[in-house]
Amino acid sequence: MKEKLIEAYRLMCQAVAMTNTYESNRQICKYVHSTSRGHEAVQLAMAMQLFPCDFISPYYRDESILLGLGFSPYTLMLQLLAKGDDIFTGGREYYSHPNYRGEDKPTIIHQSSATGMQAIPATGVAQGIQYLKNIQSPLLKKGPDGENPISVCSLGDASVTEGEVSEAFQFAVLKKLPILYLVQDNDWGISVTAQEARSMNAFEFAEGFKGMNRVSFDGSDFRNSYKMLRRVVQEIRQGSGPYLVRARVPLLGHHTSGVRKEFYRSEEDLAKHAAHDPFPKIKNDLLLEGVSEEELESIRMQAEQEVLNDFERAKNAAEPDISKVEDFIFAPTPVTREKGNRTPEGKDKIIMVDAALHAIREIMERHPEAILFGQDVGERLGGVFRETASLGKEFGVDRVFNTAIQEAYIIGSTTGLSATGVRPIVEVQFADYIYPGINQLVTEISKSCYLSCGKFPISAVIRVPTGAYGGGGPYHSGSVESTLLSIKGIKIAYPSNAADMKGLMKAAFYDPNPVIMLEHKGLYWSKVPGTEGAKTIEPDADYIVPFGKGRIVLEADLKNIENGESACVITYGMGVYWALQAAGKLAGKIEIIDVRSLFPLDEELIFETVSRHGKCLVLTESQQTNSFAESLAARITTNCFQHLDAPVQVLGALDVPAVPMNENLEKAMLPSGDKVYKKLKELLRY
């Protein structure tokens, strides 16, 4: 233990010197940052328990965890100053926002600054570890003596009130996952005290989650913290299930460099916290161990000088290369061209819902790392649309299973699962219910590849049944593509027929980036009049449609094009069938493009088609104003202006807040073949 104490003291000296250095150089340390002052003991004790096979998700006050894992002050300072050689994010992220993938240290997935949001991805990591262990996958790494890996999620006490933390806890105890939630309780949430904000502390709160092991101790005492965490980690490795550790710690620094302690804390409060400073405690422990005052002073001075030297080096390090600001938005995809047989001989036509089922079955047969989960997707029902029927029976509950009503967990857990090598296919039951998962989609999933400089792209297929038909009502009929397309860093597919459903589903799985599959419920079975074309010959198992490649659904007659008597419709989903109905009354005058994926978008095909016709209608089911369709119309105008014979027209749903339940009201709100015909007739008059 003496050697551990000396090492912890040395690192604590570094942490203290780093805080003092940053404070003395506030003009240089201009980017907002927090330090670990007061939290050092438990953070170092935590770091010292971990092997390279483990995963840890630190939060923004965890610089001492990073020191304990073996990162140098210089490495951390490069991120502090947003320098180009910052190994974590290349100058794109805040201080103490690491991500790391290497053989020498635990894996650190990227996470946001949003408090508590790391709980779901870190729990997803534990879910992935458990799954890989259950199937005895070679992807699972172990410790030096065969120890099972664990996931650690570090949190501040104020973040535990977030609803998404509760979703993570619920899933962790339900599945008995190998995760440690380290809650560092300093009694403050910026300027809000625990007494103001919480009726119970994290230890008391965790009692409500049956199966959550828990312990609470003084986290300012390194020796005790090390002993307690060693026991907890060993128990988790041996299969105890999740653990919540509440460590009581003082807050000795500022909340952040921009929100300073003197703004809101009393002298009495500051003195109370200072009395629990872990630095003099560990120094006293070492004196009792027989280490001399002179030796301790030598360690302190050496650490301080190292920090000063590293700070000088970091100050002089190069700034990021601004020409690379768009690098790493997505990881390169292997799916770059259409391949396989779209219309093999001797095959019957299938409906879209079966195309989805067959695509997922073929994926799961080939890839044991593929799993499927969401509300009601398991063997008993197979999804409310029966689109996963029979998969649970075929592949078992480890691979196909139901979840609770937890859209945030369903979506956000894919971040952690993907990092372990598991390939999740998840389902949100209706598009209207995706909003509880938007936080994870925006803060964690969409930014992970970019802010980790490509180390942690999220490989996930997120299925979202969308669209209105037959009186589904306000919360089962929404079109959410315009909302989703405002999020950068995700891909969005929108098939309109069975062949594209299968081909795009395969492309989504093999793409290393997050993909949302928007699947129109009204096309699943071709029950809506005029949608028979959604049934197609089933492509073979190798068929793949790359994203960003549209399809010509209907060509106009060349003579009409040459005479200026044609127009094109750019659309997707149900819009394809509204356009076909209208085009049937305008023989040979209409060309229809099904974009198939909304991002990336086949702008080359769109602009070329619009330029040939000179007249264009962009058709969407989404409410029209401020929609994706209006945005696309503006881009078409900019790029094709010299070829246009008329303003680009847009037709979408009426701008009402929701789809009404009554079928007549629903029809009045939505586009239709007749409405498209009327719009095209007006357009052709130009």
Side-chain angles (χ1 to χ4, degrees), residues 485-503:
L485 284 161
S486 69
I487 304 168
K488 311 310 173 192
I490 61 174
K491 297 184 179 183
I492 301 176
Y494 202 137
S496 68
N497 59 72
D500 287 338
M501 171 72 86
K502 190 170 185 181

Side-chain angles (χ1 to χ4, degrees), residues 325-575:
V325 68
E326 292 183 294
D327 288 0
F328 305 115
I329 296 172
F330 292 109
T333 177
V335 182
T336 57
R337 61 184 180 84
E338 185 172 0
K339 61 181 182 180
N341 191 341
R342 184 180 176 95
T343 55
E345 293 183 8
K347 289 272 192 160
D348 295 328
K349 286 187 175 182
I350 61 169
I351 55 177
M352 279 183 65
V353 73
D354 285 346
L357 169 65
H358 298 173
I360 296 172
R361 176 185 291 126
E362 289 166 1
I363 287 167
M364 298 188 78
E365 286 172 345
R366 293 185 181 186
H367 300 280
E369 69 274 20
I371 62 173
L372 171 70
F373 61 94
Q375 296 168 36
D376 297 301
V377 304
E379 178 183 345
R380 194 173 299 114
L381 183 61
V384 293
F385 301 104
R386 303 291 291 150
E387 80 280 10
T388 58
S390 78
L391 292 179
K393 187 173 294 185
E394 289 179 53
F395 297 105
V397 294
D398 280 345
R399 298 188 68 189
V400 180
F401 56 91
N402 296 323
T403 67
I405 303 171
Q406 294 182 321
E407 287 85 3
Y409 188 86
I410 291 167
I411 290 175
S413 62
T414 64
T415 301
L417 285 160
S418 178
T420 67
V422 178
R423 305 289 297 276
I425 303 170
V426 301
E427 182 178 309
V428 174
Q429 206 162 67
F430 291 93
D432 307 82
Y433 300 146
I434 197 172
Y435 295 101
I438 289 287
N439 201 356
Q440 289 289 320
L441 193 62
V442 173
T443 61
E444 308 301 330
I445 292 175
S446 69
K447 295 177 174 63
S448 183
C449 186
Y450 183 70
L451 293 179
S452 69
C453 292
K455 293 191 290 296
F456 289 98
I458 310 303
S459 177
V461 181
I462 302 169
R463 301 185 62 201
V464 183
T466 189
Y469 84 102
Y475 294 100
H476 296 78
S477 308
S479 293
V480 297
E481 60 266 28
S482 293
T483 299
L484 296 175
L485 284 161
S486 69
I487 304 168
K488 311 310 173 192
I490 61 174
K491 297 184 179 183
I492 301 176
Y494 202 137
S496 68
N497 59 72
D500 287 338
M501 171 72 86
K502 190 170 185 181
L504 289 168
M505 187 76 75
K506 294 289 184 74
F509 180 79
Y510 290 113
D511 198 303
N513 301 289
V515 177
I516 293 179
M517 292 285 297
L518 292 175
E519 306 172 14
H520 201 293
K521 306 186 303 293
L523 300 178
Y524 268 157
W525 300 279
S526 291
K527 289 182 178 179
V528 177
T531 62
E532 277 293 314
K535 296 180 183 178
T536 69
I537 297 293
E538 180 175 6
D540 65 23
D542 295 321
Y543 183 65
I544 295 181
V545 176
F547 299 136
K549 295 294 182 184
R551 181 175 70 94
I552 301 173
V553 176
L554 180 69
E555 293 183 342
D557 290 345
L558 182 60
K559 183 177 180 181
N560 288 328
I561 298 173
E562 291 174 345
N563 292 337
E565 297 176 350
S566 68
C568 62
V569 180
I570 311 300
T571 191
Y572 54 94
M574 188 64 79

Side-chain angles (χ1 to χ4, degrees), residues 237-249:
R237 293 195 197 282
Q238 292 165 6
S240 71
Y243 242 106
L244 182 133
V245 172
R246 174 186 175 239
R248 302 183 305 279
V249 291

